[in-house]
Amino acid sequence: MGSTGIRRLRRLRPYQPFPVPPDVLVLPKPIEESVYGYSSVGLSILGSAPKTPDELLELMAQQRPGPRGGRGTRKPRKFFQAHLMWYGIGFHEHESVDELEGWHWAAMSSDPPPTIYAGLSQVDAIMRQKWLVAAAEEQARVMSSLIQRGATVYTSDLLAQLTGVWQLTGQFFKDPDTFLRTHFPLTAPPQHVLVLLAVDEEAENEVFEWAADVHELWVVKVDNIYRGSGRSQGRFPDFVIGKDEQAVNAKADAIERENIAAAWTFRR
């Protein structure tokens, strides 16, 4: 079979008729249910992501027979079944590849071209939610594994990221004044402290200027020679900030002890 007048498309990203899957910190394995699958690239049917009618026509036009009657680059049965399902076009399970391909040519060449089957929107929403649950479970498993190995948010960058503690550093440098006013209001208890994790040592003056000079808070720098590797090793210290000098020093001492303990744990 053949076709003429097919537009050659060059897409920057794969066609996605539904909302792009949300970013997750830990990717779970793709989930499957019946003919449907879901992963970081979205919904799939029989393992095939959606394609536009033009893309499908182009792919079919590129098929070539193999030597001595082999399949060559011809698309398999599942390819045609999947995309007929994407567009809600009925077919019989036992139809041959030629028959399925014929349905494709007829449907994708029609004017106007077909659109993605509307009922799949609900399927996408259900599969997305199941995938997010799987992502949350996988994140919890990774966090539990790190903690069992003796990691803390001060000794494991991954654990700090997964728990959200690392976000404080980014929030501080985005707007130091608002950040400190928010986290240290007049009603904050004297013992309240917070930790800015993995601050680039080139930016440490900004921490002291805003926290100590402007807001008159106590600041202690905690070096971590075990963080990073090569030229970046030890370059990203933590900073403990608080209203009470004793509370700040106590937290800094605790972090140093955890750093040393973690170093011995992971070296064994």
Side-chain angles (χ1 to χ4, degrees):
M1 295 183 179
S3 179
T4 60
I6 298 174
R7 288 177 288 168
R8 302 284 174 175
L9 301 181
R10 294 293 179 267
R11 291 185 174 273
L12 296 178
R13 62 181 62 183
Y15 172 55
Q16 178 55 258
F18 304 121
V20 177
D23 291 330
V24 294
L25 294 174
V26 179
L27 282 177
K29 294 180 180 179
I31 61 172
E32 295 182 358
E33 187 170 305
S34 182
V35 297
Y36 304 112
Y38 201 95
S39 67
S40 59
V41 297
L43 184 68
S44 63
I45 298 179
L46 294 176
S48 291
K51 297 187 183 302
T52 66
D54 280 332
E55 288 173 325
L56 289 170
L57 289 172
E58 182 173 351
L59 287 171
M60 287 189 291
Q62 292 173 351
Q63 296 179 110
R64 296 290 183 272
R68 299 181 181 179
R71 197 185 79 182
T73 60
R74 192 174 189 189
K75 299 300 180 184
R77 177 191 300 271
K78 276 190 175 182
F79 172 88
F80 295 110
Q81 290 176 329
H83 291 290
L84 288 172
M85 294 173 70
W86 269 112
Y87 285 90
I89 300 170
F91 61 91
H92 295 294
E93 182 179 355
H94 300 295
E95 285 186 289
S96 68
V97 174
D98 286 338
E99 290 172 319
L100 293 171
E101 185 176 352
W103 284 113
H104 260 75
W105 279 112
M108 303 306 155
S109 302
S110 63
D111 187 15
T115 57
I116 294 293
Y117 175 51
L120 291 175
S121 177
Q122 184 177 2
V123 174
D124 176 79
I126 293 172
M127 294 295 287
R128 170 194 295 260
Q129 184 58 38
K130 291 183 177 182
W131 185 75
L132 288 174
V133 170
E137 292 174 348
E138 180 64 10
Q139 178 171 325
R141 186 195 66 78
V142 171
M143 290 172 60
S144 176
S145 176
L146 288 170
I147 293 171
Q148 288 177 6
R149 292 169 57 196
T152 70
V153 294
Y154 308 113
T155 60
S156 169
D157 292 345
L158 177 57
L159 186 59
Q161 185 179 14
L162 295 179
T163 56
V165 177
W166 218 348
Q167 296 177 2
L168 291 175
T169 302
Q171 293 170 4
F172 170 83
F173 284 103
K174 185 177 181 180
D175 188 344
D177 188 43
T178 300
F179 176 87
L180 292 171
R181 291 182 186 278
T182 300
H183 287 274
F184 291 98
L186 295 176
T187 55
Q191 302 301 313
H192 172 58
V193 299
L194 63 78
V195 181
L196 300 182
L197 293 176
V199 176
D200 192 321
E201 61 183 9
E202 294 182 357
E204 67 178 63
N205 287 339
E206 192 170 349
V207 177
F208 283 109
E209 288 173 2
W210 279 103
D213 299 342
V214 177
H215 288 266
E216 299 182 342
L217 297 168
W218 291 96
V219 181
V220 172
K221 174 183 176 182
V222 183
D223 289 310
N224 188 344
I225 62 173
Y226 309 107
R227 177 180 287 143
S229 60
R231 292 184 177 181
S232 66
Q233 185 168 2
R235 177 181 169 179
F236 299 93
D238 302 326
F239 286 84
V240 183
I241 303 173
K243 289 185 173 183
D244 181 76
E245 180 182 12
Q246 186 175 356
V248 170
N249 284 326
K251 184 63 175 178
D253 290 341
I255 294 175
E256 287 182 340
R257 289 194 297 270
E258 289 185 16
N259 290 344
I260 295 172
W264 281 106
T265 298
F266 287 104
R267 283 181 178 180
R268 287 185 296 180

